[in-house]
Each structure stands twice: as structure tokens, then as C-alpha cells.
């Protein structure tokens, strides 16, 4: 029975060896994929891009940058609209009326017809006051009574001025909308700069990932070549009887596994190309063009980093810090305004009027005072000369006062605004802390990947030597096919690890420059914010002066009372 089993086993082994000895063709899909990636570099339609070209294209075409440009324009127009507070408001009216009424005496007019044409101009000034200049004209025709000027032309010039002295007084109070809109424009400009920085960083990361994906395809192809070469050597050894027929199984398993990995690697290349196409905002007609990076990743020496200086640069360069300062100033203005609203209302009111009268004037009898019927004057210009000659001036001056007894609402609003201001100060400190953490983490990543490169290079060099020695031992029959394939896989893994370390180092350097905030300067990108908005000028005498001594700051320790 033992001899029969041995013969049966031998026959099964010979049958399996005959079957596996036939060279099985590689899957067509794998060959097609390999040829596809090989053709990319030779395709005349291929989009060959350097990193700088990719970044410049994205900055010009990226949709996120374009959307942020619109936001900047909108904020700029919002700032201009706030200056409408100081517009001159011109008004005019023309009116005609007629009235009839019964009278009880002959000295009272029983009817009149009035035609008026008036005009005025008023404006708010930066101190919170408002002035108005008006010119009135009326033609009055009366019926009956003792009227001796009929029709009469009444002309007047009025000037009035009202100035808050406590509540609503001050340049900071009046211009709070302008200050907030200007700060919001600065915040939007920070978003624009942040969008540029994020776009540059995203493109650089995508470009490096595409480089890694293509280089990983090359590493996998080399691994596939080694596996097929090992299968070829094993088949030769089987043919000469130096190896058992079943030894061909392990190389073919490795070949199939590597081919599967190659398919995934090529798919990763296409995914990274789409990611980069989206960042570049390429037109749909160009999405079927393969992207071939013309730059390569490399590592010579570790970039020196002065951590303290890097943190200081980040505090100066990062748009978040500027935005936090502007938001804090907005809350300062709001706290200043709400504190002002606690004060009583004390308003100064001034007025000065000039009047004139002309028309069809009848002569009066000096003895009886009764009109004689003789016309003395009908010249409208007499009324104007009376106005500008200040023949009939009148004026008024007064102060009005008002104070809510408890003033609960204003005090609560002031306290809430003060708390908002203090909260924003804490948020600013948190932002500073986050930036420090970001800079330190990215600097540490640069150092970590630089050390990893040295280690992975040594591992890859050792794996290459080990594979060469293992294949020689295999040729001399001192090791097994399985061990050779294991060493080949170790070499492939070592090459991928080295590539990951080099790409990771370059990505870490890019992330460090993003954290410091000088990534645009590193790539020689100048930030030209769209269309600087010219603010309408105000008279220099209207500075930040405020006799209530609020100044331009609100201290956190001050509490509304």
C-alpha cells in the first residue's frame, strides 16, 4: 500500500507540474493598464505641468478664489454705502391751495389762494449734529378784509442746527457704521488672502500626491518585473529538474497579487489627476488629458527652522490674526456706542431766519389807515432784497433734556456689548495659541520626515543588497523560492516607504510655510486684492475728537455703570 500511495502521489505531482509549467498569459486588463500609464508621457495631448505652473493656473482660475473676489467687491460696496450717512439731502416741493371761509367782520379775509415753491438742503455732520438750510417762496392772494398787499410774495431763508451734546455725540459714535464696514472689508480681504493660501497649499499637496501616485506605479511595475523574472527562473529550474513543479505556484501568486496592486495604483493616479484638475478649474474638454508632472520630488538636506522666529512670522503673516484684530475693533466700536446710549439726551438747538415781503401794495391814507387804491409796489425783487439785506431777522437758541428714569435697556445692552468685547479678546488669545500649535506641529513634521528619509533610504539600500544575495543563494540551491519572493516584497515595501518619506517631507515643508503664512512669498505670488475702494474724504477737522473722552479704545477692565 505504501508503494501504491507513493506512485499515486508522484503521478499527481507530475500532472500538476505539467499543468503549471504551461506559461499562463497575464490578464489583459493589467497589460492594458500598464500600457496606458506608459503612454501618458508620450501622449502629445498630455498636460505637462511644473509645480509653479500648476499653482499659477489655480490662482487665476480656481473657483474658490473667484467667489472670494466677489465677496471682497460686495464688502467694498458696503463700505461705500455707509458714507451715504453724510450725503446732502436736497428736497423741494411745489404746492397750490385755495380756501373760502365765512367771516364776522370786514377786516378778516374770507378767502385765499396760495401757491408755494420751497427748497431745502440738510446734512448730518461727523459730530452727530444736523444742519438744514431752506428757502421758501409763496404767492398769497386774499379776498376781502383789510388786506393792503394783494397778491403778496412771501420769501424766507431759514437755517437750523441741532447738535447732541451727550447721547449720540462724537465722531466715533456717528461713524460707527463706517468703521465696522471698513473692518469688515479688511476681514473679507483676509478671507481672500486665506483662500489664495489654501488654494496654493491644496495644489501643492495634490501635485505631490500625483507625483507619489505615479512613482508608486513605477515601483509596483518593478516589483511585478521581479516577480515575473523569479517565475521565469523557477520555470527554468523546473525544466532542468532542479526544482519541484509545485514551486511555480508561489511566484504566480505573487504575480497575480502585484498585478492587482498595479490596477489600484493606476486608479489612484487617475483620482489624483481629477483632484488636481478640479483645483486648476480646467474646462471639461481638457479633463481627458493625462497630467504629467514635470517636476520631481527630492531631498538633499533638512530645511533649517528657527521655531521662535517662525512663530513670530506666523503672528504677523497669518490672516486670522488680522481678522481677529478687526473683529475686536468692531466690538470695541459697538461697546463704545452702547456706553454712549446710557447717557441722557442733551441737545443744542439753534435757528436763524430771514424774511421778506413784496407784492401789489396799496397806498394807505395817513389819517384813516384805509387803502386809497393807488399801487405802491409790485416788485418781487423787493422781497429778496429784504431777505439778503436781513431786514427782518429772527433767531432761536435752546437746549432740550431727556433721561429715562431707570434706563434698564441701555445699561443691559452696554453690559452685553462689554462682555462680547471681552469674549473676543479671549478668542483672539485662543487663535494665537492655535497658530503656535500649528507652527510647532508642522515644524516637527518636517524634522520627522527628514529623519524618516534617512532611515528608509538605509532600509531600501539594505533590501536591494539582501535581494541580490538571496537570489544568488537561490541559484545555488541554498534557499527557497518563497524566501526569495518575500525578500522581493520587502524591497518593494522599502522603496514605497522611501518614496512616502520623501513626498511626505515635501508636503510637510509646504504645510510649514502655510502655517507660518509665507507660502505665497515662497512661490513668488503677489497678492493683488481686487480693485481698491476709494473712500469719500471727510474734513480733517472731524477726526476722532470726542469731548466725552471716550477715545478710540475700550479697556477690558472698564465696566458700564
Amino acid at each position: 500500500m505504501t508503494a501504491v500511495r507513493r506512485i499515486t502521489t508522484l503521478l499527481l505531482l507530475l500532472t500538476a507540474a505539467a499543468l503549471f509549467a504551461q506559461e499562463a498569459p497575464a490578464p489583459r486588463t493589467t497589460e492594458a493598464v500598464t500600457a496606458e500609464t506608459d503612454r501618458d508621457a508620450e501622449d502629445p495631448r498630455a498636460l505637462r505641468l511644473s509645480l509653479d505652473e500648476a499653482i499659477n493656473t489655480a490662482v487665476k482660475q480656481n473657483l474658490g478664489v473667484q467667489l472670494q473676489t466677489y465677496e471682497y467687491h460686495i464688502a467694498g460696496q458696503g463700505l461705500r454705502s455707509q458714507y451715504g450717512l453724510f450725503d446732502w439731502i436736497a428736497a423741494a416741493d411745489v404746492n397750490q391751495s385755495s380756501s373760502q371761509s365765512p367771516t364776522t367782520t370786514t377786516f378778516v379775509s374770507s378767502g385765499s389762494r396760495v401757491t408755494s415753491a420751497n427748497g431745502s438742503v440738510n446734512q448730518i455732520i461727523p459730530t452727530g449734529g444736523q444742519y438744514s438750510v431752506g428757502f421758501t417762496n409763496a404767492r398769497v392772494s386774499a379776498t376781502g378784509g383789510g388786506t393792503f398787499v394783494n397778491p403778496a410774495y412771501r420769501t424766507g431763508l431759514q437755517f437750523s442746527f441741532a447738535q447732541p451734546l451727550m447721547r449720540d455725540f462724537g465722531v466715533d459714535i456717528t461713524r460707527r457704521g463706517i468703521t465696522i464696514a471698513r473692518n469688515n472689508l479688511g476681514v473679507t480681504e483676509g478671507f481672500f488672502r486665506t483662500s489664495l493660501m489654501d488654494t496654493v497649499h491644496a495644489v501643492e499637496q495634490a501635485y505631490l500626491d500625483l507625483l507619489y501616485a505615479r512613482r508608486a506605479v513605477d515601483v509596483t511595475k518593478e516589483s511585478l518585473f521581479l516577480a515575473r523574472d523569479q517565475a521565469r527562473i523557477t520555470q527554468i529550474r523546473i525544466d532542468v529538474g532542479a526544482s519541484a513543479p509545485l514551486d511555480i505556484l508561489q511566484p504566480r501568486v505573487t504575480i497575480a497579487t502585484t498585478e492587482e496592486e498595479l490596477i489600484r495604483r493606476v486608479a489612484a493616479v487617475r483620482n489624483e489627476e481629477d483632484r488636481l484638475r478640479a483645483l486648476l478649474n480646467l474646462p471639461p474638454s481638457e479633463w481627458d488629458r493625462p497630467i504629467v508632472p514635470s517636476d520631481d520630488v527630492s531631498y538633499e538636506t533638512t530645511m533649517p527652522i528657527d521655531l521662535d522666529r517662525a512663530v513670530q512670522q506666523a503672528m504677523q503673516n497669518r490672516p486670522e490674526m488680522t481678522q481677529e484684530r478687526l473683529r475686536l475693533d468692531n466690538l470695541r466700536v459697538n461697546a463704545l456706542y452702547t456706553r454712549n446710549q446710557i447717557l441722557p439726551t442733551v441737545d443744542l438747538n439753534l435757528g436763524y431766519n430771514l424774511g421778506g415781503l413784496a407784492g401789489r401794495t396799496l397806498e394807505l391814507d395817513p389819517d384813516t389807515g384805509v387803502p386809497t387804491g393807488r399801487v405802491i409796489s409790485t416788485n418781487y425783487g423787493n422781497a429778496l432784497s429784504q431777505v439778503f439785506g436781513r431786514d427782518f431777522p429772527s433767531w432761536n437758541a435752546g437746549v432740550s433734556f431727556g433721561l429715562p428714569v431707570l434706563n434698564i435697556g441701555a445699561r443691559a445692552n452696554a453690559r452685553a456689548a462689554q462682555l462680547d468685547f471681552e469674549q473676543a479678546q479671549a478668542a483672539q488669545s485662543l487663535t494665537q495659541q492655535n497658530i503656535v500649535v500649528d507652527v510647532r506641529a508642522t515644524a516637527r513634521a518636517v524634522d520627522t520626515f527628514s529623519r524618516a528619509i534617512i532611515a528608509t533610504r538605509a532600509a531600501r539600500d539594505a533590501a536591494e543588497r539582501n535581494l541580490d544575495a538571496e537570489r544568488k543563494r537561490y541559484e545555488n540551491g541554498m534557499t527557497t523560492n518563497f524566501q526569495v519572493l518575500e525578500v522581493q516584497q520587502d524591497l518593494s515595501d522599502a522603496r514605497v516607504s522611501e518614496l512616502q518619506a520623501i513626498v511626505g517631507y515635501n508636503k510637510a515643508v509646504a504645510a510649514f510655510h502655510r502655517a507660518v503664512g509665507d507660502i505665497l512669498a515662497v512661490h513668488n505670488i503677489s497678492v493683488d486684492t481686487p480693485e481698491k475702494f476709494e473712500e469719500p474724504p471727510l474734513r480733517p477737522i472731524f477726526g476722532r475728537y470726542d469731548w466725552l473722552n471716550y477715545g478710540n479704545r475700550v479697556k477690558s477692565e472698564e465696566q458700564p455703570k
Side-chain angles (χ1 to χ4, degrees):
M1 287 295 295
T2 302
V4 173
R5 288 179 178 176
R6 287 179 179 177
I7 294 173
T8 304
T9 302
L10 180 60
L11 291 174
L12 291 174
L13 289 173
L14 292 175
T15 303
L19 291 174
F20 288 122
Q22 300 176 2
E23 187 67 29
R28 293 176 59 85
T29 56
T30 305
E31 296 297 338
V33 168
T34 304
E36 177 186 354
T37 56
D38 290 339
R39 287 195 303 268
D40 284 353
E42 301 175 358
D43 190 344
R45 298 181 63 255
L47 182 59
R48 293 169 176 81
L49 282 176
S50 66
L51 178 58
D52 288 340
E53 290 172 341
I55 289 174
N56 290 330
T57 301
V59 168
K60 294 177 182 177
Q61 300 181 182
N62 185 268
L63 290 175
V65 175
Q66 294 178 17
L67 290 174
Q68 200 56 52
T69 301
Y70 282 109
E71 291 292 334
Y72 182 82
H73 281 291
I74 293 170
Q77 296 301 328
L79 172 58
R80 292 184 65 87
S81 70
Q82 290 299 322
Y83 278 89
L85 176 67
F86 302 113
D87 280 347
W88 282 285
I89 306 300
D93 65 85
V94 178
N95 186 53
Q96 186 171 15
S97 64
S98 177
S99 65
Q100 298 290 333
S101 61
T103 64
T104 59
T105 175
T106 58
F107 296 100
V108 177
S109 174
S110 62
S112 67
R113 180 183 296 271
V114 180
T115 302
S116 62
N118 307 317
S120 64
V121 173
N122 64 79
Q123 183 189 28
I124 295 175
I125 63 176
T127 58
Q130 182 173 4
Y131 70 86
S132 174
V133 178
F135 189 70
T136 60
N137 290 278
R139 181 183 184 276
V140 181
S141 297
T143 303
T147 304
F148 66 93
V149 180
N150 191 26
Y153 297 96
R154 297 185 178 276
T155 302
L157 181 62
Q158 293 87 32
F159 173 80
S160 64
F161 177 72
Q163 173 63 60
L165 299 180
M166 297 192 74
R167 184 188 298 180
D168 296 328
F169 172 83
V171 176
D172 285 338
I173 301 301
T174 307
R175 296 184 56 176
R176 69 186 185 279
I178 295 176
T179 302
I180 292 173
R182 186 187 296 116
N183 289 340
N184 288 341
L185 178 62
V187 171
T188 306
E189 185 175 352
F191 281 129
F192 177 78
R193 186 179 180 87
T194 299
S195 179
L196 281 178
M197 294 171 65
D198 288 342
T199 298
V200 171
H201 182 242
V203 170
E204 190 166 5
Q205 298 292 311
Y207 190 91
L208 292 171
D209 285 339
L210 178 58
L211 270 172
Y212 169 78
R214 285 195 171 275
R215 288 279 296 274
V217 167
D218 295 337
V219 171
T220 306
K221 287 180 180 179
E222 293 176 3
S223 179
L224 181 59
F225 171 78
L226 291 176
R228 287 176 173 174
D229 189 55
Q230 184 63 25
R232 179 185 62 81
I233 295 173
T234 301
Q235 186 61 50
I236 292 175
R237 291 178 60 84
I238 292 174
D239 292 341
V240 299
S243 296
L246 293 178
D247 287 350
I248 197 63
L249 291 176
Q250 188 61 41
R252 289 187 173 174
V253 170
T254 302
I255 289 172
T257 303
T258 309
E259 287 175 342
E260 179 187 4
E261 182 181 1
L262 180 61
I263 293 172
R264 290 198 301 268
R265 297 282 192 192
V266 172
V269 170
R270 300 310 178 208
N271 290 338
E272 295 301 334
E273 284 180 335
D274 283 348
R275 177 183 164 197
L276 188 56
R277 289 184 185 108
L279 289 170
L280 300 180
N281 192 26
L282 296 179
S285 59
E286 296 188 8
W287 276 59
D288 61 341
R289 298 175 61 186
I291 299 179
V292 179
S294 58
D295 290 343
D296 201 359
V297 288
S298 60
Y299 170 80
E300 299 298 334
T301 57
T302 304
M303 180 182 68
I305 295 176
D306 184 345
L307 193 57
D308 292 336
R309 184 170 179 271
V311 171
Q312 293 177 357
Q313 286 181 323
M315 294 301 174
Q316 296 174 356
N317 297 337
R318 290 281 288 264
E320 297 95 315
M321 291 305 303
T322 302
Q323 290 174 314
E324 288 295 332
R325 286 193 293 269
L326 294 174
R327 292 190 185 101
L328 191 64
D329 190 58
N330 279 350
L331 293 174
R332 176 197 66 81
V333 171
N334 188 51
L336 181 66
Y337 173 74
T338 54
R339 286 179 58 190
N340 176 270
Q341 298 304 294
I342 298 176
L343 300 175
T345 300
V346 180
D347 295 340
L348 173 66
N349 300 295
L350 301 175
Y352 187 76
N353 303 321
L354 295 170
L357 176 64
R360 188 171 178 268
T361 306
L362 300 178
E363 182 183 30
L364 297 179
D365 186 281
D367 297 328
T368 63
V370 178
T372 63
R374 189 167 68 90
V375 177
I376 298 177
S377 173
T378 58
N379 188 1
Y380 171 71
N382 291 341
L384 294 178
S385 64
Q386 291 170 10
V387 169
F388 293 107
R390 295 182 296 177
D391 293 343
F392 303 100
S394 60
W395 59 270
N396 68 282
V399 177
S400 59
F401 177 82
L403 174 65
V405 177
L406 299 179
N407 213 10
I408 296 175
R411 292 179 183 276
N413 291 336
R415 181 56 182 158
Q418 186 68 27
L419 292 174
D420 284 342
F421 181 77
E422 295 174 9
Q423 183 185 45
Q425 288 180 316
Q428 186 181 44
S429 299
L430 180 61
T431 300
Q432 292 175 342
Q433 186 181 84
N434 291 337
I435 290 176
V436 172
V437 171
D438 192 16
V439 172
R440 291 175 63 87
T442 53
R444 193 178 302 112
V446 171
D447 180 67
T448 300
F449 278 107
S450 65
R451 295 174 184 270
I453 290 174
I454 297 174
T456 54
R457 276 184 175 176
R460 186 258 307 155
D461 182 67
E464 288 177 348
R465 295 174 182 271
N466 190 29
L467 177 60
D468 185 60
E470 194 70 20
R471 295 189 71 168
K472 289 180 180 179
R473 287 196 292 269
Y474 178 76
E475 292 172 359
N476 294 324
M478 299 173 62
T479 187
T480 64
N481 200 21
F482 176 79
Q483 290 175 317
V484 174
L485 294 171
E486 283 289 319
V487 173
Q488 286 181 355
Q489 184 60 44
D490 291 342
L491 175 59
S492 177
D493 294 341
R495 286 173 174 170
V496 170
S497 296
E498 181 186 15
L499 178 60
Q500 287 176 337
I502 294 176
V503 173
Y505 173 80
N506 284 270
K507 293 176 68 175
V509 170
F512 173 77
H513 287 301
R514 174 63 184 88
V516 172
D518 63 350
I519 190 171
L520 299 179
V522 168
H523 292 285
N524 298 318
I525 297 176
S526 59
V527 181
D528 296 327
T529 52
E531 187 187 345
K532 291 291 186 181
F533 293 95
E534 295 294 334
E535 298 184 35
L538 293 176
R539 292 186 179 275
I541 61 172
F542 297 124
R544 303 187 69 88
Y545 173 74
D546 189 335
W547 74 275
L548 294 175
N549 197 27
Y550 280 166
N552 58 0
R553 60 189 180 277
V554 174
K555 297 180 180 179
S556 61
E557 66 271 17
E558 294 179 357
Q559 303 294 332
K561 297 180 181 179

